[in-house]
Amino acid sequence: MESSRAASLEGEAKQPVTGAYDLAIDAMGGDHAPESVLDGLELAAERHPKARFLLVGDESRLTPLLAKRARAAKACALRHAPDVVSGDMKPTAALRMRHSSMRVAIDAVAAGEAAGVVSAGNTGALMALGKIVVKTLPEIDRPALAAVGPSARGDVVLLDLGANIACDARNLVEFAVMGDAFARAVLGLPNPSIGLMNVGSEELKGDERVRLAADMLKVSPLAANFHGFVEGHDITSGTVDVVVTDGFTGNVALKTGEGALKLVGGLLKQVFTSSLMAKLGYLLAKPALDRLREWMDPRRYNGAVLIGLNGLVVKSHGGTDALGFAHAVDVAMDMVTHRVNDRIREGLAAMPSRNPAAPASLTTE
């Protein structure tokens, strides 16, 4: 199937960003794989009719499923991978499994066959494989995990979400460059505003690394869009388009936000089922609540990106459905189309090597 598909690509007008495929897809990763993955690809193929996907997984399972999904079948080439990285497998064990669907898909990115990979599989394994097999961009010290979430003013980009627990000033500045490129590609913002997470908005707040990162950003090409320090409540209020923080703080903020949404949903359910009048009130409020539910639907924000690698690595939530997986593919395709890695290289090349306003003892060199 793969060879015939590759041959048919030669006459197409659209040229891929790299290699023969736009994305490699781990068909076997996730709680409901491979059915949910293929259903998601069916939707994604409709949204991206010129996209080409390398579908990796158990050929005996995937072939009959593809036959029932015409758009996905037309967009995909199939590559057999007999093994699957389980959800509880340690990253070290996943690294030794050379013929898993996740590893073969990532190998395709590392070899330049595909510009990126999307997987709903084991997060730790995917991050480890991404860092070790795909490797970081030469200009990047550490990749970051970035994602989009809702705010009162629209969508907001948050990074790092857990890839790096401890970060220095240089890491935070690199995250700002990557977040800027991400927001331009995925959110379509021409000049995204950037905030640096701190314990207060005053310039003297925070530790030395956060203050130094702010000083570096103030004299960088991002200075015009650098808002300064932001606090936790600024994430949901939409104060800035990009929130930069270390992975420990970012992951706590992410999990706190997810918990708050579940709490609000549970409380609303209790309120609207507490009495007959409450149930009648629910019927009156249902159109507005449906709009709210659609706006807050986590499937709309599915697709966290391990950004800063030589190829794109996108993590879909393991329990998502077809719509959620299609959104993860959307994120990956946006980044491929807008050449995010090129933007990151250009942004880092323009950054000063040290902050001239800071004492030499505070520079990163």
Side-chain angles (χ1 to χ4, degrees), residues 249-307:
T249 306
N251 191 267
V252 171
L254 174 68
K255 299 299 174 59
T256 301
E258 291 175 347
L261 286 176
K262 290 181 180 178
L263 173 63
V264 171
L267 291 175
L268 283 173
K269 185 175 181 180
Q270 290 182 31
V271 167
F272 283 119
T273 58
S274 60
S275 66
L276 178 59
M277 290 299 294
K279 292 178 181 179
L280 292 174
Y282 169 76
L283 293 177
L284 293 174
K286 187 176 184 301
L289 291 172
D290 287 342
R291 288 196 298 272
L292 177 63
R293 186 182 297 111
E294 181 180 354
W295 181 48
M296 303 297 289
D297 189 343
R299 297 176 299 178
R300 289 185 60 235
Y301 303 99
N302 188 42
V305 181
L306 189 59
I307 192 169

Side-chain angles (χ1 to χ4, degrees), residues 43 48 79 82 85 179 184 186 190 198 201-202 214 225 233 271 297 324 327 344 347:
L43 295 174
H48 309 280
R79 179 168 295 175
V85 174
R184 291 173 186 268
V186 177
N198 202 348
S201 58
E202 299 85 353
N225 295 330
H233 63 82
V271 167
D297 189 343
H327 274 291
I344 292 172

Side-chain angles (χ1 to χ4, degrees), residues 145-222:
L145 197 62
V148 177
S151 80
R153 200 170 59 89
D155 292 336
V156 59
V157 175
L158 181 64
L159 76 166
D160 176 27
L161 293 176
N164 307 281
I165 300 302
C167 301
D168 60 20
R170 181 179 66 168
N171 299 143
L172 295 174
V173 171
E174 290 178 354
F175 295 169
V177 174
M178 293 188 285
D180 175 77
F182 184 95
R184 291 173 186 268
V186 177
L187 301 185
L189 300 175
N191 293 293
S193 56
I194 300 168
L196 191 59
M197 181 67 73
N198 202 348
V199 294
S201 58
E202 299 85 353
E203 290 190 2
L204 296 178
K205 287 291 183 72
D207 57 25
E208 184 177 278
R209 67 189 177 93
V210 177
R211 295 197 304 272
L212 175 55
D215 289 341
M216 295 169 71
L217 287 169
K218 289 175 184 175
V219 297
S220 76
L222 297 178

